[in-house]
Amino acid sequence: MTDAREPASPATSAPVPLLDPREGIPPVTAGPEALDDVVAAFAAGSGPVAVDAERASGYRYGQRAYLVQLRRAGAGTALIDPVACPDLTALGEVLAGTEWVLHAATQDLPCLDELGMRPTSLFDTELAGRLAGFARVGLGAMVENVLGFALEKGHSAVDWSTRPLPDPWLRYAALDVELLVDLRDALEEDLRAQGKLDWALQEFAAIAAAPPPAPRVDPWRRTSGMHKVRRRRQIAVVRELWLARDRAARERDVSPGRVLTDAAIVAAALEPPANVHALAALPGFGHRMGRRQLEQWQTAIDRARALPERELPQQTAAYTGPPPPRAWADKDPVAAARLSAARAAVSALAEELNLPQENLVSPDTVRRLCWSPPPEPTPELVADTLASLGARPWQVQLTTPLLTKALGARPTEG
C-alpha cells in the first residue's frame, strides 16, 4: 500500500520546530503533596487527556513505567515520577470518565495499569493513522505530516530509570503529550471525512475493554536464533539457561540481554560445554565474565544434560490453532486453496480502503477460519465465526462477503 495522502493541515515548505512546551518544562512530580496538586489540577481540567509513559526497555527488567506524562486543557502538563509515586490510583479515578489520548496505546496501558491507571475510553493516534491510510505512523511523523510541527528527537531509547532525569530528556517527554490532543482532533476529522470514524471508535473501545494480556507460554522459546536448535537435549539447554538468566535479571533489575545474550545461549545449546573452562571459550561467555557467573551458567547447562529423556521439552510448542500455512498444501490442499483466495481478497479490499491488511482483519483470524470453516459456509455462519474469533462489527461487515466466497475455493489442477 502506498501513501499518496496530503497532510491534513495546510502544506508548509518545512515543518515548524517545536522546541519547548508552551509553558516550559514542568517540575517532576515526586512526592505525595505534589501528586495531590496534580490530581486536583487534572480533575478541574476539561476535555481529553493526553497520556504517555516512558519505560527503560533494554536497561531494566520488565516493562514498568519510569515517567508518566499527561496534558489536559486547564491543567497543563504534568511529569510524574512513578518510582517516587508508585500509586496513581487517585489520578486514574479522577480521569475515569475522560477520554485518554495515547499513541500506540497497547504499549503503554500495561505499565499504566500497574500504577492504578486504566482508561474507560481512549483514542489511539497511531491506530487512527493506520486506519486513515498513513504509511508512517510514528508520533514524530504523524505530528509533522498532520500538524506541520517537528518534534525533538533523540531520547526515545535512553535509560529512563536514570535519576535525576536530564532536562533535555524531560523536554522530549513533555513534547510527546504537547500536541497529542491536537493530533487526535485532526485525525478524527480525517477519519470522519473518509467514513472510517466508526471503525476507529470500535477499535478503540476494544482496546479499552481488553483484559490484561495473559503471560506467554514457554517464553524461552522466543530466544533469538532458536530455529538453529533442533535436538530436544539442546532445546533443554536453551530453556535452562533462559530461566537462569531470567532469575538473575529479575534479582538485579537488569534487562536479560545485558546479563547474557540470546546468541550466547544458542551457542551453548549447539555445543554444550562439559565444564566452565570449555564454556568460557564459547562466544558471549569469556569476555569480562567472572568465575561465579560462569559456574551459574554451567550449572544450568548441567541440569539440562542430566534430565531424563521423558522430561526434555518437545521440539515445538503445544499449539491448538492451525498448522503453519507453509504446511497446508501437503496437509490439506483444499484449506490451502481457501487461504490463498482469502488472502488475495483481503489484500485487494485493504488496498481499496487504503488501510493495512492486518487492520482490516487479523491474519490469525483468516487462518483459523480457512482451516476450520463452518460446515455450511453461509454468510451468517461466517459472520458468527469471525465475531467469535474477535473481529469487530465493522470488520465482520466488510469481510464476510469476500471470505464466504473464498471458502468455496478449490485447488487448481496441474
Side-chain angles (χ1 to χ4, degrees):
M1 181 176 65
T2 58
D3 182 13
R5 302 281 312 283
E6 293 292 332
S9 59
T12 58
S13 57
V16 178
L18 190 64
L19 297 177
D20 291 290
R22 295 164 192 156
E23 300 158 6
I25 304 172
V28 176
T29 301
E33 292 184 3
L35 181 59
D36 289 345
D37 291 342
V38 168
V39 171
F42 277 79
S46 61
V49 57
V51 183
D52 190 26
E54 305 294 348
R55 300 175 298 280
S57 303
Y59 296 94
R60 296 289 184 174
Y61 185 88
Q63 294 296 314
R64 66 170 294 183
Y66 284 94
L67 187 71
V68 175
Q69 309 101 278
L70 304 100
R71 183 174 178 84
R72 192 181 192 191
T77 299
L79 303 177
I80 302 174
D81 179 359
V83 177
C85 303
D87 185 358
L88 301 183
T89 303
L91 183 58
E93 288 175 349
V94 300
L95 298 175
T98 301
E99 180 191 78
W100 292 22
V101 184
L102 304 101
H103 193 80
T106 54
Q107 294 182 20
D108 288 339
L109 289 179
C111 67
L112 291 168
D113 192 41
E114 290 178 359
L115 299 171
M117 297 180 65
R118 182 79 189 184
T120 54
S121 67
L122 62 86
F123 190 106
D124 186 333
T125 51
E126 184 199 49
L127 181 51
R130 293 182 187 279
L131 294 175
F134 287 90
R136 297 169 61 228
V137 292
L139 180 58
M142 292 294 293
V143 167
E144 187 173 317
N145 252 349
V146 177
L147 301 177
F149 289 101
L151 293 181
E152 184 172 323
K153 301 176 182 178
H155 302 301
S156 60
V158 299
D159 181 3
W160 288 95
S161 68
T162 300
R163 292 296 182 272
L165 287 165
D167 281 353
W169 298 12
L170 294 174
R171 180 167 58 249
Y172 167 91
L175 290 173
D176 272 358
V177 292
E178 175 76 4
L179 294 175
L180 263 184
V181 173
D182 295 322
L183 180 61
R184 172 235 180 274
D185 293 344
L187 288 171
E188 181 182 60
E189 288 305 311
D190 197 347
L191 289 166
R192 180 180 287 110
Q194 294 187 53
K196 297 177 179 178
L197 181 58
D198 185 57
W199 305 355
L201 295 178
Q202 290 182 38
E203 294 299 302
F204 302 156
I207 293 172
R216 290 187 183 277
V217 177
D218 291 347
W220 53 268
R221 289 187 182 273
R222 296 175 62 84
T223 302
S224 179
M226 183 80 183
H227 63 281
K228 303 174 187 176
V229 184
R230 302 188 181 279
R231 295 199 292 271
R232 292 177 65 195
R233 184 75 58 184
Q234 294 175 327
I235 296 172
V237 172
V238 172
R239 180 181 66 184
E240 294 303 321
L241 280 173
W242 191 97
L243 293 172
R245 179 184 70 174
D246 191 68
R247 287 191 295 270
R250 185 189 297 269
E251 289 171 2
R252 293 166 52 187
D253 190 19
V254 175
S255 171
R258 289 178 174 262
V259 176
L260 187 68
T261 66
D262 282 6
I265 290 176
V266 171
L270 293 174
E271 299 181 39
N275 51 50
V276 168
H277 179 74
L279 177 63
L282 292 178
F285 288 94
H287 183 61
R288 296 182 180 178
M289 190 169 287
R291 175 84 182 186
R292 184 176 178 182
Q293 283 182 294
L294 289 170
E295 289 175 348
Q296 176 186 19
W297 308 132
Q298 187 63 46
T299 298
I301 294 167
D302 291 343
R303 276 198 304 270
R305 296 176 70 172
L307 284 173
E309 196 76 20
R310 66 180 181 278
E311 294 182 18
L312 294 176
Q314 296 300 315
Q315 290 176 313
T316 57
Y319 182 59
T320 57
R326 63 179 177 274
W328 286 29
D330 293 329
K331 290 179 177 290
D332 189 338
V334 175
R338 291 193 293 257
L339 181 61
S340 178
R343 283 174 162 174
V346 169
S347 176
L349 181 57
E351 183 77 22
E352 179 184 337
L353 296 172
N354 194 27
L355 51 78
Q357 296 178 42
E358 63 270 20
N359 291 115
L360 175 57
V361 61
S362 158
D364 182 66
T365 294
V366 175
R367 286 193 294 271
R368 290 175 183 270
L369 173 68
C370 292
W371 184 254
S372 301
E376 292 292 331
T378 63
E380 293 75 18
L381 290 177
V382 170
D384 289 344
T385 302
L386 290 171
S388 72
L389 292 171
R392 265 69 70 194
W394 74 273
Q395 296 173 318
V396 173
Q397 180 182 5
L398 288 172
T399 62
T400 290
L402 60 90
L403 291 175
T404 301
K405 182 178 179 181
L407 293 178
R410 292 295 180 266
T412 57
E413 296 184 4

